[in-house]
Every structure is written in structure tokens, then in C-alpha cells.
Amino acid sequence: FARTRRPAALPSLYMASAALQGYDAYSTLTALKGGAVEANPVMKNVVKSPAAFIGVKASVTVLSIMAAEKMWKNGNRLGAIGVMVASNVAMGFVAANNARVLATLK
């Protein structure tokens, strides 16, 4: 059967996800060095090891893209796009908060 091409939005959402997760890793580690405290209780112990934290951020990025790809391939195209939009919106709020925290540390 014919493969349906992904809309340009989906790969763009993948790139945005990677960028947002990367910024979260950078801004979190920078803020922690500046005296900030990790607010997410799930990540409190993980951020003690920058390598582990970066690994978690990379894993979350890859897993969300894999989930969206699986949804796309299974015909749930709207779901694939929805998962990535929701993930990116959530990370956008995290990134904005991190930017605010960094601004207060300067």
C-alpha cells in the first residue's frame, strides 16, 4: 500500500523537541551552577549527574519521536502530531521558566 508522506510540520516538531530538550538541559545545568534548585522532584537526583541528566533528556526526545513515528505508521496521524505538539508546548513552558530563573541569577 502507498506510504503517506509526513507533513513538513512533523519533522519540524521533531527538531523543535530536540532543541527544547537541549535548551532545558543547558539552562537547568547553568542555573544549578548559579545556585538555583531543581524544582521537579522526579529530576532532583538525576541533575546531580550532568551526564545522567543529559542522557535522560536525550532519551525523552528519542522516545517521544519514536512514539509519534509509530502512531504515524499505524495510521494515527493526528495523534502523532498531537503528541509532538503537546510535548513541545510543555517543554516550551519549562524553557520559559528556565529562562526566567536564569535571568534572576544574573
Side-chain angles (χ1 to χ4, degrees):
F1 61 108
R3 291 176 57 131
T4 304
R5 283 185 47 139
R6 280 154 191 74
L10 198 53
S12 296
L13 289 166
Y14 294 162
M15 290 187 300
S17 176
L20 286 164
Q21 292 287 354
Y23 178 74
D24 181 36
Y26 160 78
S27 58
T28 297
L29 294 173
T30 301
L32 291 172
K33 285 180 189 171
V37 177
E38 174 60 51
N40 181 345
V42 174
M43 299 304 285
K44 273 197 188 293
N45 288 325
V46 178
V47 296
K48 292 177 184 175
S49 167
F53 181 58
I54 292 167
V56 167
K57 301 310 288 179
S59 296
V60 167
T61 303
V62 169
L63 290 173
S64 64
I65 291 170
M66 286 175 60
E69 278 295 298
K70 184 171 179 125
M71 293 170 101
W72 182 269
K73 289 176 184 172
N74 288 335
N76 188 357
R77 288 157 175 69
L78 191 57
I81 293 169
V83 162
M84 293 310 300
V85 167
S87 172
N88 288 351
V89 167
M91 287 309 301
F93 282 113
V94 170
N97 182 64
N98 286 2
R100 278 190 297 276
V101 169
L102 284 174
T104 65
L105 295 175
K106 293 184 178 185

